[in-house]
Amino acid sequence: MSDEKARLASDAITPSGRFLDYVFPFDTFNGPLQDPTNGRAEYLIETPLKFIGKGATTVIRPDGTKVGSIKWRGSFELHKMVTLHGQTAQGDQMLKTLRDALFEDRKRVWVDDWGNQFYWQTRLCYNAENQIMARYLRGKKHTFRDNEPAWLSIDTSYMHLFDHILFTAIMIEHETRQSEESSSSSSGGGGDGGGAC
């Protein structure tokens, strides 16, 4: 086991294998995150469109309680800043990049409020024992048929980490869209218009 893998070791709960699915009916950055079985919103996500700078994404509960926010890095900011549970940190400190091998998909490591470490890799979230605890499925836009919404699935053993899982999934989706927009611009395309941030 590498030093970094050993560093990921923790006393995390063993996943139950029972997943609950949640849907972003409109967009990952705007609108509710809903339980599709009853239509109940678990979170409300807002990313106002800004003409100057990159703005911020705010996550609140249906009762109005603010969970936190992500201030995206714009032209005049060096870092994106994440506020969650009243604590603020730079985005690259909250979600750190780790690559064990040259051709391995990078891992995005994050830590919960109790010091346990987890990681995302290829839109799957794992605990320290490399067991899947959450999945993020990207939405797809189509020209001649209905769009497909994004989904977030969480193992029932990790519902106490819902806030962290949601925030890190949003950050990874944002990075993916930025990468796609950069690739589209460099190839002369116009982008897919996938994000308001």
Side-chain angles (χ1 to χ4, degrees):
M1 179 182 292
S2 69
D3 290 341
E4 287 293 347
K5 284 186 176 179
R7 187 174 66 82
L8 285 171
S10 69
D11 296 326
I13 299 171
T14 301
S16 67
R18 298 188 301 274
F19 285 82
L20 296 179
D21 298 326
Y22 299 89
V23 62
F24 301 88
F26 304 112
D27 184 74
T28 304
F29 296 97
N30 277 296
L33 177 63
Q34 292 179 333
D35 181 339
T37 63
N38 55 27
R40 184 182 65 193
E42 299 293 333
Y43 298 89
L44 299 174
I45 304 164
E46 300 176 349
T47 308
L49 181 63
K50 294 194 67 174
F51 294 100
I52 300 176
K54 289 294 184 178
T57 295
T58 302
V59 179
I60 62 175
R61 303 190 196 281
D63 64 3
T65 304
K66 184 176 179 179
V67 179
S69 63
I70 306 169
K71 181 173 174 50
W72 304 109
R73 186 173 69 86
S75 302
F76 304 103
E77 294 90 13
L78 294 176
H79 306 280
K80 58 178 171 281
M81 301 300 295
V82 182
T83 300
L84 179 61
H85 299 164
Q87 302 294 317
T88 300
Q90 293 180 9
D92 57 1
Q93 293 300 311
M94 179 177 178
L95 194 61
K96 297 181 179 180
T97 300
L98 169 66
R99 196 191 301 270
D100 284 345
L102 180 61
F103 298 106
E104 182 182 58
D105 289 333
R106 63 180 181 172
K107 296 177 180 178
R108 309 307 308 281
V109 180
W110 57 276
V111 180
D112 66 15
D113 293 341
W114 300 273
N116 297 312
Q117 294 183 332
F118 309 91
Y119 68 92
W120 283 94
Q121 188 172 33
T122 319
R123 285 182 280 283
L124 294 175
C125 191
Y126 299 85
N127 67 5
E129 298 171 343
N130 302 316
Q131 298 166 315
I132 296 173
M133 50 185 279
R135 307 181 182 101
Y136 174 69
L137 178 65
R138 299 192 72 203
K140 295 181 180 179
K141 293 188 175 182
H142 302 287
T143 303
F144 300 109
R145 57 191 175 92
D146 291 341
N147 294 332
E148 300 175 42
W151 290 78
L152 184 63
S153 302
I154 302 179
D155 187 286
T156 55
S157 298
Y158 289 91
M159 295 305 294
H160 63 293
L161 296 178
F162 204 158
D163 295 350
H164 294 79
I165 292 170
L166 174 60
F167 265 67
T168 51
I170 288 173
M171 292 169 68
I172 290 171
E173 173 64 14
H174 183 266
E175 291 177 1
T176 302
R177 292 192 188 186
Q178 283 192 316
S179 177
E180 290 174 344
E181 290 171 1
S182 297
S183 298
S184 179
S185 297
S186 63
S187 63
D192 65 356
C197 53

